[in-house]
Amino acid sequence: MTLPRIQAPFVIWTLQRTGGTNFNNCLNHLSDCPRLQDEAFNPGREQGHLTEAWKRSKDTDALRRDIGAVCAQHPNFKHCVELVPWPVNEVLTEVTLTHGYSHIFLYRRNPLERILSREYARRTSTWGPRQAQATAGKDISGAMEDPLDADAAIRHETMANTRLNRVWTALEAAGATPIPISFEELYATDETVARQSLERVFAGLGQVLSADQTTEIMDMVRTRGDQKTRDRYSQFKGVGQVKERLAELPSLLCST
């Protein structure tokens, strides 16, 4: 079956440990544009030297010029807004608008799952499938001994949500139409929800999917993945205290 080709470059604005690797891979597989390393502008990554240079010089004009040169090549990339200094997000927003990018916002409706995933990865150094495989079956009780720091978790999540909202607001103010999609929609038990969410994303990218095309893309997005670490979150202490404070978080503007 012939699947649609995505012609315009896209950026996936998201937060660390949101999930959706298969979704990202699927879009890139169907794209006519090249792909940067995920979170490419983080220090230590493919374009991280640009962020490091800004940290040293605080020269935003140079940052805009250098990121502009990267985005002029129209590479797709996924970007976590809370992992770099705010001026990097600001410049990325400006430059991707200039170069005709589509803007996808991938988020979690349930912030607790992302908070626990991030903390689990931090404590066990399980940041990807390979590390998850290496720690499978191992005793992690030592890493789970300290209770969760509810203050730190809520403070970090507030900062992250605020940044994602600032990017969304800047894009809308510039006349762009960001495309929201939640992790929970992609992996909903009710496949109708997932199908409709994928069709909405592709419509935002200028493609109308047939029923058969949607089914094939569903298979690409939903048949692989999951690091199988969620069942270990029950070992965390203090989850209740974090859960009680989720109402303090700013709502995400991209939430559908």
Side-chain angles (χ1 to χ4, degrees):
M1 178 189 300
T2 301
L3 291 175
R5 301 300 300 174
I6 302 168
Q7 296 180 341
F10 62 82
V11 51
I12 298 178
W13 301 96
T14 190
L15 302 176
Q16 190 181 39
R17 305 301 292 180
T18 294
T21 296
N22 287 353
F23 172 68
N24 183 20
N25 289 341
C26 172
L27 293 184
N28 276 284
H29 176 71
L30 297 175
S31 175
D32 289 336
C33 296
R35 177 181 185 175
L36 288 182
Q37 180 184 19
D38 287 347
E39 302 163 34
F41 296 93
N42 292 6
R45 296 289 177 94
E46 185 178 352
Q47 300 295 334
H49 60 284
L50 302 182
T51 298
E52 295 286 9
W54 180 87
K55 285 183 176 181
R56 292 190 299 270
S57 70
K58 301 298 188 291
D59 187 342
T60 304
D61 288 337
L63 180 68
R64 186 176 293 106
R65 181 194 64 235
D66 293 340
I67 288 182
V70 173
C71 291
Q73 304 304 311
H74 292 162
N76 304 321
F77 60 95
K78 183 184 78 169
H79 180 69
C80 294
V81 297
E82 80 278 32
L83 299 182
V84 297
W86 174 251
V88 177
N89 295 321
E90 200 164 36
V91 168
L92 280 170
T93 303
E94 296 173 12
V95 169
T96 52
L97 280 165
T98 298
H99 288 286
Y101 274 69
S102 296
H103 299 270
I104 301 167
F105 279 69
L106 177 62
Y107 67 97
R108 287 264 189 169
R109 286 178 171 173
N110 179 2
L112 183 63
E113 284 293 316
R114 195 185 76 81
I115 290 169
L116 296 181
S117 175
R118 176 178 171 273
E119 185 63 15
Y120 180 87
R122 187 186 70 80
R123 293 188 184 198
T124 64
S125 298
T126 307
W127 294 103
R130 290 181 183 176
Q131 294 96 327
Q133 207 168 37
T135 59
K138 291 187 177 180
D139 180 13
I140 59 164
S141 57
M144 310 298 271
E145 187 63 31
D146 292 337
L148 295 168
D149 185 336
D151 287 338
I154 296 302
R155 185 166 56 249
H156 181 273
E157 196 75 1
T158 296
M159 177 273 290
N161 283 12
T162 299
R163 286 188 168 200
L164 207 57
N165 284 344
R166 287 180 69 182
V167 175
W168 178 277
T169 299
L171 290 170
E172 285 199 320
T177 304
I179 307 165
I181 179 75
S182 71
F183 177 89
E184 288 84 354
E185 288 175 299
L186 286 174
Y187 297 99
T189 303
D190 182 351
E191 288 195 359
T192 301
V193 173
R195 291 180 70 90
Q196 290 175 345
S197 69
L198 285 169
E199 288 168 354
R200 186 181 71 242
V201 169
F202 275 84
L205 296 172
Q207 302 290 340
V208 177
L209 299 179
S210 69
D212 288 344
Q213 287 174 329
T214 302
T215 297
E216 186 158 343
I217 290 170
M218 282 271 289
D219 289 342
M220 294 171 70
V221 171
R222 288 166 59 100
T223 55
R224 295 187 301 277
D226 189 358
Q227 294 178 19
K228 304 289 191 276
T229 57
R230 192 175 296 107
D231 58 343
R232 294 183 161 198
Y233 298 169
S234 60
Q235 298 184 47
F236 276 121
K237 300 173 184 177
V239 174
Q241 288 87 332
V242 176
K243 191 173 183 179
E244 287 173 359
R245 296 186 56 185
L246 294 179
E248 299 176 23
L249 297 176
S251 297
L252 286 171
L253 297 177
C254 57
S255 182
T256 57

